[in-house]
Structure formats: C-alpha cells, structure tokens
Amino acid sequence: MKNIPQTIGIIMDGNGRWAKAKGLPRTAGHKQGADTIRTVALAANDLGVKKLILYAFSTENWKRPDDEVGYLCKLPGIFFARYIKELMENGIRVTFAGELERFPKDTQEVIQKAVLQTKDNPGLELCIAINYGSRREILLAMQKYAKDVASGNRENDITEEEVSNYLFVKEDVDLMIRTSGELRISNYLLWQIAYAELIFTPVAWPDFDRECLEQCIEEYNRRDRRYGGLTK
C-alpha cells in the first residue's frame, strides 16, 4: 500500500448487535470492542498511520440504559489497566477529544493518567473521542472564538484554516470508516471529514481486525482524491 492515510477516523459500531447475535449481554460486546481497539491501534501504528480517532462515547450515548452507561464509564479503566504497558512498548500516544467533565471522577483520572503517561511517545496518536459530538464541538469553538473577539484578544477576522484551532480535533481526516453496515456519520467529525474518503463495512467492530483495516486502506488507495478539481 503506497499511500497510507495519515489521519483515520472510525465509528466503532455494532458491539451490541454482535453480542445479541451470540446470545450475550451488550456489555460483552463492549468488552470485545475494547480489545479490538488494541488490535487496530497496534496495526495502524505498524502501518504508519499518524492519528487514529475512535468514536468511543457520543454526547447522545447518555440516553442508553443506566447499566450500559455505567459499564461504558468503567471501560477506560479496564482497557488501560490491561493494555497501557503494550501501548508504551509500541510508542503509542493517547489523547482524547470531547468533554470529560460529565464522567465520574475515577474515569476522568484514568484517561488523564494515560494521556500523561504516553505524552512523549513518538508513534501513533490514539485519540479517544469520548463524550464527543461534532455539533457540540463546533458550538464550543464558536463560543470560544466570540469570547476571544469580545475580550480584544483578536480581530473578527477568522479564516477557514484557523477554525481548526478552536476544535477538539484539529487535523483533517483522510479516511473515515464506519463498521457494522450503518450508512450515516452520526454527528462525528463533521468539519474534519469535508474531503475524507468514506468506507462503510458490514463487519461489526468486535470482529474488525488488521486485515479489515488493510482492506479499507487498499480501497482508499483505489480512490481518486480530487478535492473538487479534475483528474490529472
């Protein structure tokens, strides 16, 4: 694969349906999905991807049953307790996008500890989008910019390129993948995917592996990215 996308976003969908198909509780799907994060992060790091942004918990996920939300809040602790050593050994750097404040204090501390522990790692940036919604991200960016202008910190002269500086995720996404067959974006990275290549795979996230990732990148390589222009 001659052209590796530098920034990949993934909507990790299908954990619940995967579990239901196997006669398991939804939490079993989320646990297996967390293990898949480790598999895909290591593969992306090995392939030379610079940033992997994973949609772990949306601003809308608070509407789910309390027991499922409670388990999802505990999942970062389970994941990092099991895999932080391996992430360190592979030079993977953990960051997050979203608003941590709504999560229990111990969940916040686990994520912040992983960010701090891996901050100097030179490899893949593994960005966990947690309590994230793209419309919320854009709203907060607008409010921050308006505050800067009102306080005299800058002129009302923002450019398209500068908008990214006010967002949680500043990079443009090259490749967006959604697993489990759904064909929508679900309020994810709306600004950043303006010219991303979109791939929707029927594979549920718990079954997504290195081979699936490589297949998506191979498809990405077959695309002609013209950015509104003409093919040369």
Side-chain angles (χ1 to χ4, degrees), residues 33-156:
D35 292 339
T36 300
I37 291 176
R38 172 258 182 194
T39 300
V40 174
L42 291 176
N45 186 50
D46 187 46
L47 290 167
V49 176
K50 297 299 183 185
K51 185 165 185 172
L52 180 65
I53 315 163
L54 302 179
Y55 207 6
F57 193 98
S58 77
T59 51
E60 291 76 30
N61 285 157
W62 296 106
K63 302 173 185 176
R64 294 188 176 188
D66 289 345
D67 58 342
E68 184 174 355
V69 170
Y71 183 80
L72 289 170
C73 288
K74 295 176 183 177
L75 206 50
I78 297 170
F79 176 82
F80 287 120
R82 186 171 184 181
Y83 294 125
I84 192 66
K85 181 180 178 182
E86 194 169 15
L87 296 178
M88 289 294 297
E89 290 171 348
N90 285 274
I92 295 174
R93 178 165 60 98
V94 177
T95 61
F96 71 90
E99 299 173 275
L100 287 184
E101 296 82 4
R102 189 170 176 182
F103 284 98
K105 187 174 181 181
D106 56 347
T107 303
Q108 296 180 43
E109 290 174 349
V110 162
I111 295 171
Q112 290 165 345
K113 181 180 178 181
V115 170
L116 182 63
Q117 189 172 348
T118 63
K119 67 182 180 64
D120 295 323
N121 288 349
L124 171 79
E125 179 184 348
L126 175 61
C127 180
I128 308 299
I130 186 164
N131 196 26
Y132 172 91
S134 189
R135 288 185 172 183
R136 174 73 175 166
E137 175 187 35
I138 293 170
L139 173 62
L140 292 174
M142 293 172 64
Q143 291 174 343
K144 185 177 180 181
Y145 171 68
K147 185 176 180 180
D148 282 350
V149 173
S151 64
N153 289 333
R154 67 166 298 154
E155 297 294 325
N156 187 11

